[in-house]
Amino acid sequence: MEEGMEAYTIRLRIPAGIVTPDQLRGIADAAQKYGGDDVHLTTRQTIEIPHVAEKNLPALGVALTKNGTPFGAEFQNVVNVTACPGNERCRLANIDAIPFALNIDRKYFGREMPVKTRIGISACPNSCVSERLCEVGVTGHLKPLRHPEKCTGCGTCVDFCNEDALEVINGVIVLNDERCIRCGACVHTCPYGVITAEDPVYEITFGGRRGRHPKVGRRLVIVNSLEAAEQAVDEAMYRIYRQAVGGTRLLADQLDEIGFDQIVKSVLAKLPEDSVVEHL
């Protein structure tokens, strides 16, 4: 690029960070032709092409659109939706995170909002995509069901529990419900299949943020089906659009002002009663 010429950094749309090898080659070719000497892998599972001259923007946009990795979103928009590998590739996953994220992306990516809106889907409370630090987060949980009459007391599940919620007493595994965060690790790691589980549930959080003063999103609701989880996300997105105040402040700074309790009631009103496991 010519010295002194204004340049741009172009962020791509790559929902859940999933690209094919052919798309990666296409990104590399486009970056080499229209950008600088490198690309940047971002924290939100997408790619940035830096040092793009203004005159190259139209041609780059065409190339990336044909490649299936078009320009991304920034500012007061719904930006790249993130997800962990979920059931497809992680032995600790409780839900199918990637299809969920792709569906949410199809509905909301790029939509103009009063505030920048990040959505993250994590298949378990390990929170590998920091979904609870997003404006809208979804976390998959699994409640263990113990069968003491079959337990050998081997202690494998105790070793894998990071919450000290399990212990061996008189040769039987005992669960401390107050410590358990429903991560499902004991279910997934029991070598004898003695610990089973109820169906997975989905926790929806609202108003998280990263940055210099990070905040964990507040719980909107826990529901027992994918359909209900999508309905809860839909209503959460609608409430951001209708009630959040635009400008420089993030959603996390407005929750009390815009009435978080009322937003919870709005979400609950949209859900079948038998789908709600817990709220607030």
Side-chain angles (χ1 to χ4, degrees):
M1 188 171 62
E2 298 177 15
E3 186 176 352
M5 181 180 295
E6 186 172 9
Y8 296 83
T9 294
I10 303 303
R11 180 170 291 182
L12 311 188
R13 177 184 182 181
I14 305 179
I18 302 297
V19 292
T20 67
D22 285 341
Q23 285 175 320
L24 279 177
R25 293 186 188 96
I27 292 169
D29 291 342
Q32 192 168 48
K33 185 173 183 180
Y34 301 112
D37 298 325
D38 50 31
V39 297
H40 176 208
L41 305 181
T42 76
T43 58
R44 290 200 56 80
Q45 299 182 335
T46 184
I47 293 175
E48 289 181 343
I49 301 176
H51 314 304
V52 179
E54 184 174 2
K55 65 180 181 180
N56 289 337
L57 290 175
L60 176 61
V62 171
L64 291 173
T65 298
K66 290 175 62 176
N67 192 53
T69 54
F71 287 176
E74 195 51 74
F75 305 112
Q76 279 70 43
N77 300 99
V78 178
V79 298
N80 205 59
V81 179
T82 60
C84 69
N87 288 341
E88 181 184 330
R89 285 179 281 122
C90 181
R91 67 186 180 90
L92 297 178
N94 299 324
I95 62 173
D96 212 359
I98 291 176
F100 194 151
L102 295 179
N103 187 44
I104 294 297
D105 170 85
R106 282 189 289 269
K107 287 200 284 187
Y108 292 110
F109 174 81
R111 180 172 295 189
E112 292 187 8
M113 303 288 279
V115 293
K116 179 188 286 189
T117 304
R118 287 153 284 220
I119 306 172
I121 319 292
S122 183
C124 80
N126 284 330
S127 297
C128 292
V129 295
S130 301
E131 78 287 352
R132 283 171 281 186
L133 298 182
C134 294
E135 279 70 24
V136 177
V138 180
T139 309
H141 293 270
L142 206 61
K143 182 179 180 179
L145 296 176
R146 295 170 298 110
H147 304 278
E149 73 281 1
K150 299 178 181 179
C151 181
T152 67
C154 72
T156 300
C157 57
V158 177
D159 293 336
F160 278 92
C161 180
N162 291 324
E163 307 302 320
D164 294 326
L166 293 166
E167 60 180 325
V168 181
I169 299 178
N170 296 327
V172 176
I173 301 299
V174 177
L175 173 68
N176 184 326
D177 279 311
E178 292 184 0
R179 289 179 178 268
C180 179
I181 64 170
R182 310 297 190 254
C183 68
C186 58
V187 179
H188 300 306
T189 57
C190 177
Y192 303 107
V194 169
I195 302 178
T196 59
E198 297 179 349
D199 290 337
V201 297
Y202 301 75
E203 178 183 15
I204 315 301
T205 51
F206 188 80
R209 76 170 181 203
R210 294 176 182 261
R212 65 174 67 193
H213 300 294
K215 287 185 178 180
V216 174
R218 301 183 193 180
R219 177 184 295 168
L220 274 180
V221 68
I222 297 178
V223 294
N224 59 16
S225 71
L226 175 61
E227 293 75 18
E230 291 183 350
Q231 288 175 307
V233 170
D234 288 342
E235 182 63 15
M237 296 296 291
Y238 179 72
R239 289 298 153 193
I240 295 174
Y241 182 76
R242 294 289 298 179
Q243 294 179 233
V245 179
T248 59
R249 292 193 304 156
L250 298 175
L251 180 66
D253 301 320
Q254 306 179 32
L255 294 186
D256 294 326
E257 178 182 319
I258 64 178
F260 177 73
D261 290 349
Q262 291 301 315
I263 292 174
V264 172
K265 291 179 180 179
S266 297
V267 171
L268 293 176
K270 296 293 184 178
L271 300 173
E273 288 187 11
D274 60 358
S275 71
V276 176
V277 176
E278 187 176 339
H279 61 89
L280 281 183

